[in-house]
Amino acid sequence: MAKKVLIVGGVAGGASCAARLRRLSEEADIVVFDRGPYVSFANCGLPYYVGNVILDEKKLLVASADLFQTRFNIEVRTEHEVMAIDRERREIEVKRLSTGETYRERYDALVLSPGASPIRPPLPGIDLPGIFVLRTIPDSRRIKDWIGEREAKRAVVVGGGLIGMEMAENLVHLDLSVTVIEMLDQVLPPLDPEMAELVHQHLQAKGVSVRLRDAVASFEPSPEGALAVRTKSGEAFPADLVVLSIGVRPETKLARDAGLALGERGGIRVDEAMHTSDPYIWAVGDAVESRDIVTGEGNVAPLAGPANRQGRVAADSICGRDARFRGVQSTAVCGVLGLTVAATGANEKTLRRAAIQYEVIYLHPGHHAGYYPGAKPLHLKLLFSPGEGRILGAQAVGLEGVEKRIDVIAMALQKQATVFDLEEAELCYAPQYGAAKDPVNVAGMIAANALRGDAPLARWEDLATSGAMLLDVREPAEFAAGHIEGAVNLPLPQLRRRLPELPREREIMVYCGVGQRSYYALRILAQHGFKVRTLPGGLSTYVQFHPRLTSAGKAGS
Ligand code: FAD
């Protein structure tokens, strides 16, 4: 066991590494350095502190320097910045920020957990007062104070990622009118665009204005003392404050300057034991690049769960245990003004880039049994491999029960389970919580039916070019209220007796409201020798791809 362990960064990864080390070794001399005034604070709680959901700042302090000392016998030096690593001498150079004095400290093992810094693009006006990023407790205080002192009414959030969405929600809580500017064609990049469309609609319904496909070009002071955020399209958005949330960059300066290897995505390269390219240095958290469980590529996933787990693995490794980090799968959840959005594994964009073959299904069940009051729709997308049915990723959006389904699928994905395993998963059920066939089971069944050839799937993107007959098996009134252009209506109850009206040579693509009746129809048609596939998720999925038809396309079962 190394005698002296120095840890750079005392929040998620660093603090969990330090505490685990002490649990494994009473002898180790452990010192944690952080350039900020706090260690072990809840960065994930910061947006809610800004939004006055968390009222007491002290609640954000998970553990103090004093607690580390008294409970764990770990020395914490806050406001001490580590400036350089001397790998030959196994020393670090530290600057005491209160005095500017520097000193050296020797190590037997060094752990880097410096996190990731918010990106601040060098745009004209970026340093104007009123433009904020959110990473630390002092950042959150500055935003709160600014809103209070200026009596801010209008906020622009630049970037529609996880933190951008959380900030939009919390600024709405404070009664600010909020505009989100996002240069991509969707918010929340872990989602595929048709799933993000559900979030766009919800944001608009909650009064948040969303400007997509437009990048910020500059910030200008406006005559009445506020700001104008000018975009590439030439529009100017007035704002009393701006929150920049356009992503984070791994803090790799220390590692780079010390000649440690970096990965292809710019994070510190580590192996499964969180070892860097130097045998005496480990690295964890947002700063590192880990293996992605699905693609096998390097992945920089700035999330608290991986940082904590990696901290533990590094501690085990330093203590000579054979610990291995399994890799990251980007499991994440985000609340957006009452809507829950969650995802795990790869999305279609990632799978295409990594040239991994996949199939897609959608389903739109209630979050619990429909007969029990209060069931809310849940929109779930599952990606799996065409041959063995290995789970590759899942995304879900809804008001209730979203994260529970994604958590189950996340665990299955990590264990390399298949859609056949989801079919068989035994999950808890009482009517107020789920269904005897839980949405996770149903997702497995739809996918497994497709792989067994019982219910072949059509792809939504093939709709226009397939030449297939498009068959809508809903009731005439539903069809009249809205349908896919070119579809023929033949309601399910009439299907058996009207089979002679259907073509035998041409393929049939069948759909209904959410995919249930079309599945029954498919089984009838398939058993009568028709060439037929279903469009997964029915009209409810179609309107995600074609939002303009939303008013026409009310989906049933
Ligand atoms: P950090 O927790 O960022 O800690 C790094 C520390 O190192 C910092 O305190 C920094 O001051 C210090 N440091 C850096 N360089 C030096 C140096 N040279 N010398 C001394 N000290 C140094 N993740 C989720 O999974 N769910 C969420 O809901 C979520 N919400 C978030 C909300 C916000 C506003 C933010 C900012 C992050 C959120 N995250 C969330 C991400 C999560 O907080 C990070 O993934 C996690 O904290 C990473 O841990 P880390 O130890 O790598 O880095």
Side-chain angles (χ1 to χ4, degrees):
M1 162 67 207
K3 288 189 191 72
K4 182 148 193 170
V5 186
L6 305 185
I7 300 178
V8 184
V11 191
S16 70
C17 181
R20 171 81 174 163
L21 270 170
R22 177 57 76 228
R23 291 196 293 276
L24 298 180
S25 167
E26 270 298 305
E27 285 87 47
D29 181 5
I30 306 167
V31 187
V32 176
F33 299 87
D34 203 297
R35 65 181 168 210
Y38 306 103
V39 282
S40 201
F41 66 90
N43 359 31
C44 309
L46 296 177
Y48 305 92
Y49 177 56
V50 172
N52 284 342
V53 178
I54 298 169
L55 293 171
D56 183 358
E57 190 181 291
K58 288 195 209 75
K59 298 269 187 208
L60 296 170
L61 303 174
V62 181
S64 64
D66 276 356
L67 186 124
F68 270 98
Q69 187 64 63
T70 53
R71 184 173 292 175
F72 299 115
N73 186 25
I74 291 172
E75 186 187 345
V76 171
R77 298 186 197 159
T78 52
E79 296 178 317
H80 281 63
E81 181 163 7
V82 177
M83 308 302 288
I85 305 167
D86 181 340
R87 286 169 58 194
E88 234 159 70
R89 295 181 166 195
R90 273 189 257 154
E91 287 179 354
I92 56 171
E93 187 185 312
V94 186
K95 185 175 188 180
R96 196 191 306 267
L97 296 180
S98 56
T99 59
E101 156 216 1
T102 61
Y103 61 95
R104 288 185 154 240
E105 195 79 50
R106 195 195 55 77
Y107 61 83
D108 296 310
L110 175 66
V111 180
L112 304 177
S113 186
S117 50
I119 295 171
R120 275 183 85 98
L123 294 171
I126 187 83
D127 293 323
L128 283 170
I131 303 176
F132 300 94
V133 293
L134 181 61
R135 182 183 182 189
T136 62
I137 292 179
D139 289 339
S140 62
R141 246 184 244 144
R142 279 191 280 274
I143 299 175
K144 273 169 92 86
D145 290 349
W146 182 273
I147 292 171
E149 284 159 15
R150 308 280 165 133
E151 296 179 358
K153 303 262 181 304
R154 301 157 303 177
V156 167
V157 174
V158 184
L162 292 169
I163 295 176
M165 288 295 99
E166 291 180 352
M167 280 312 296
E169 166 173 312
N170 281 287
L171 293 168
V172 168
H173 275 163
L174 296 176
D175 283 333
L176 272 82
S177 101
V178 178
T179 301
V180 176
I181 300 177
E182 167 60 61
M183 107 186 162
L184 301 176
D185 56 2
Q186 64 165 95
V187 299
L188 292 174
L191 298 180
D192 286 314
E194 79 285 5
M195 297 301 284
E197 181 53 32
L198 298 164
V199 185
H200 301 158
Q201 289 169 13
H202 185 77
L203 282 165
Q204 273 151 21
K206 293 285 174 185
V208 175
S209 154
V210 182
R211 167 56 69 104
L212 301 172
R213 299 174 208 91
D214 203 0
V216 172
S218 64
F219 303 94
E220 294 157 15
S222 81
E224 77 278 23
L227 291 157
V229 183
R230 196 166 288 283
T231 58
K232 292 225 163 104
S233 69
E235 214 167 322
F237 296 85
D240 301 314
L241 85 150
V242 174
V243 179
L244 290 176
S245 52
I246 52 177
V248 293
R249 201 172 276 134
E251 289 243 10
T252 53
K253 186 173 183 309
L254 269 182
R256 215 179 34 238
D257 290 353
L260 297 178
L262 301 186
E264 70 223 34
R265 303 207 183 275
I268 304 171
R269 178 171 292 163
V270 286
D271 65 12
E272 290 171 316
M274 309 315 297
H275 246 131
T276 65
S277 52
D278 180 310
Y280 299 99
I281 305 178
W282 286 254
V284 302
D286 287 0
V288 307
E289 186 167 318
S290 308
R291 192 186 60 86
D292 186 283
I293 285 178
V294 178
T295 64
E297 298 171 341
N299 185 351
V300 179
L303 293 164
N308 275 277
R309 299 199 319 278
Q310 291 168 348
R312 287 170 58 88
V313 169
D316 282 17
S317 170
I318 290 166
C319 292
R321 295 191 174 197
D322 183 22
R324 278 158 209 268
F325 181 65
R326 293 182 180 180
V328 285
Q329 60 191 84
S330 305
T331 307
V333 63
C334 179
V336 187
L337 293 157
L339 196 69
T340 304
V341 181
T344 188
N347 57 29
E348 283 197 65
K349 292 168 282 193
T350 305
L351 292 171
R352 276 199 293 267
R353 202 201 57 237
I356 295 173
Q357 299 277 310
Y358 62 91
E359 293 286 347
V360 186
I361 60 136
Y362 299 88
L363 59 160
H364 309 274
H367 87 285
H368 62 49
Y371 65 81
Y372 188 86
K376 308 276 191 327
L378 178 74
H379 307 279
L380 182 58
K381 173 176 183 174
L382 182 70
L383 297 145
F384 53 99
S385 68
E388 59 180 336
R390 217 186 108 196
I391 301 160
L392 301 173
Q395 299 158 40
V397 177
L399 297 171
E400 300 277 351
V402 169
E403 70 287 6
K404 155 171 152 164
R405 273 62 191 216
I406 291 298
D407 276 344
V408 170
I409 297 173
M411 192 62 232
L413 190 154
Q414 195 189 76
K415 297 303 289 178
Q416 309 216 325
T418 66
V419 297
F420 303 102
D421 296 312
L422 296 187
E423 246 187 329
E424 287 297 325
E426 186 168 309
L427 305 171
C428 41
Y429 163 58
Q432 67 272 46
Y433 299 110
K437 269 191 248 166
D438 190 87
V440 170
N441 299 127
V442 178
M445 287 168 190
I446 297 169
N449 281 341
L451 293 181
R452 288 190 198 102
D454 289 339
L457 293 170
R459 288 219 176 194
W460 283 101
E461 52 270 35
D462 297 340
L463 191 62
T465 53
S466 73
M469 174 193 184
L470 193 55
L471 185 66
D472 184 324
V473 292
R474 296 173 304 146
E475 291 303 308
E478 294 172 274
F479 187 78
H483 56 265
I484 303 174
E485 205 183 319
V488 171
N489 185 218
L490 205 171
L492 178 63
Q494 302 174 21
L495 187 60
R496 286 188 180 85
R497 75 182 148 77
R498 291 179 59 188
L499 289 177
E501 296 172 30
L502 296 174
R504 293 241 161 227
E505 298 311 317
R506 195 173 161 205
E507 188 189 29
I508 300 171
M509 281 190 187
V510 60
Y511 76 90
C512 61
V514 294
Q516 195 174 12
R517 283 175 287 176
S518 64
Y519 170 49
Y520 302 149
L522 177 141
R523 291 303 304 151
I524 295 169
L525 292 170
Q527 291 181 67
H528 282 87
F530 289 91
K531 208 173 137 203
V532 57
R533 290 186 290 162
T534 52
L535 284 157
L539 203 60
S540 290
T541 305
Y542 182 77
V543 297
Q544 287 177 231
F545 283 101
H546 304 274
R548 282 184 304 271
L549 286 195
T550 308
S551 58
K554 283 258 171 283
S557 64

